Amino acid sequence: MASGCVSSDTNNGSDGTYDGEAETLEYQGVKLTPISEQRDNSIKGTPQININNYFLTVDGMVDDPQFLTYEQITSYPNVSKLVMLDCVEGWSYVAKWTGIPVKTLLDEAGVQDGATTVIFYSADGYSTALELDYLVENNIILAYELNDVTLPRDHGYPFQLVAEDKYGYKWAKWVTGIEVTDEPYEGYWESRGYNNNADVGGPRFD
Ligand SMILES: Nc1nc2c(c(=O)[nH]1)N[C@H]1C(S)=C(S)[C@@H](COP(=O)(O)O)O[C@H]1N2
Ligand SMILES: [Mo]
């Protein structure tokens, strides 16, 4: 993924800042898209989230439903990844994402036998779903940092799913709920004709 794009120059000092935080602009030898140059997209603007009242629920086909605060979620061991976001409309950007593996949350909750699908619900009424196997096998993360900056409000603060190799409409922002199920599910865009598999390079529509 990181090969052949940019020659690595560890001395070029390309770090900037975003909202007063230091922004990383090169990672694994690849130049990142500065947040100020990243497009963002949403069905109805940025919802107001008060982090003091925020809870993430993990429920459905689990043994121990979870209600987790921002503090609890960000205390788990995290993972960083270089990933490209590809919107189905034809724009993309590459960034460094840091967050908690979805698997960590699912393991805490204890997924029941027969579960196949995980639904993500967002504060703006958006939803999308992905296969349980995809999330686990690819160690998909729920990100809270973008280029080492606290995930900005318009990019999904407090959490955005980094659904690598899937079109942007699988990258749920402002995630407030995770539900485990054994039935297929069509989210906001999927129920409006977008392909439910959403593999980058694959069909955009059904
Ligand atoms: N909650 C929510 N998540 C969402 C969306 C949305 O409208 N609401 N739009 C999706 C689409 S179509 C894209 S391309 C990405 C864009 O992510 P970004 O705004 O962080 O660049 O968010 C996805 N996640
Ligand atoms: Mo998109």
Side-chain angles (χ1 to χ4, degrees):
M1 184 166 35
S3 61
C5 298
V6 180
S7 63
S8 175
D9 176 1
T10 49
N11 295 319
N12 83 2
S14 56
D15 286 1
T17 63
Y18 186 86
D19 259 2
E21 293 184 56
E23 181 178 6
T24 296
L25 295 176
E26 186 176 329
Y27 183 56
Q28 297 177 346
V30 173
K31 281 206 177 5
L32 307 177
T33 310
I35 298 170
S36 61
E37 292 171 24
Q38 295 175 7
R39 295 269 299 263
D40 62 77
N41 178 293
S42 66
I43 52 170
K44 47 176 148 184
T46 301
Q48 282 307 313
I49 290 181
N50 179 346
I51 207 66
N52 300 311
N53 301 335
Y54 175 87
F55 277 92
L56 174 71
T57 62
V58 184
D59 59 14
M61 289 179 64
V62 298
D63 292 332
D64 297 304
Q66 304 284 304
F67 304 87
L68 301 162
T69 64
Y70 183 75
E71 181 80 39
Q72 286 174 305
I73 297 163
T74 54
S75 298
Y76 283 103
N78 64 32
V79 172
S80 293
K81 298 185 181 196
L82 177 74
V83 187
M84 182 172 284
L85 184 154
D86 278 280
C87 176
V88 74
E89 291 172 330
W91 50 268
S92 64
Y93 59 84
V94 64
K96 178 184 177 184
W97 308 86
T98 302
I100 177 178
V102 173
K103 181 179 187 300
T104 302
L105 299 169
L106 296 175
D107 286 349
E108 288 293 320
V111 173
Q112 296 174 350
D113 286 351
T116 56
T117 305
V118 180
I119 309 170
F120 296 85
Y121 297 98
S122 301
D124 60 345
Y126 193 84
S127 64
T128 190
L130 287 154
E131 287 179 9
L132 177 61
D133 287 349
Y134 159 83
L135 294 167
V136 172
E137 285 165 15
N138 297 288
N139 203 26
I140 296 303
I141 63 172
L142 207 49
Y144 47 86
E145 283 177 10
L146 175 56
N147 294 354
D148 290 325
V149 168
T150 305
L151 192 67
R153 289 196 176 265
D154 52 357
H155 282 282
Y157 177 82
F159 298 108
Q160 178 173 29
L161 189 72
V162 179
E164 54 196 86
D165 303 324
K166 302 286 186 182
Y167 287 128
Y169 55 88
K170 293 290 183 184
W171 294 51
K173 303 195 282 189
W174 310 295
V175 175
T176 55
I178 297 178
E179 182 186 344
V180 181
T181 175
D182 60 0
E183 289 179 15
Y185 178 89
E186 291 191 340
Y188 183 89
W189 285 120
E190 296 89 333
S191 64
R192 289 164 174 78
Y194 284 88
N195 188 276
N196 204 8
N197 198 34
D199 285 329
V200 172
R204 295 162 184 230
F205 304 99
D206 285 330

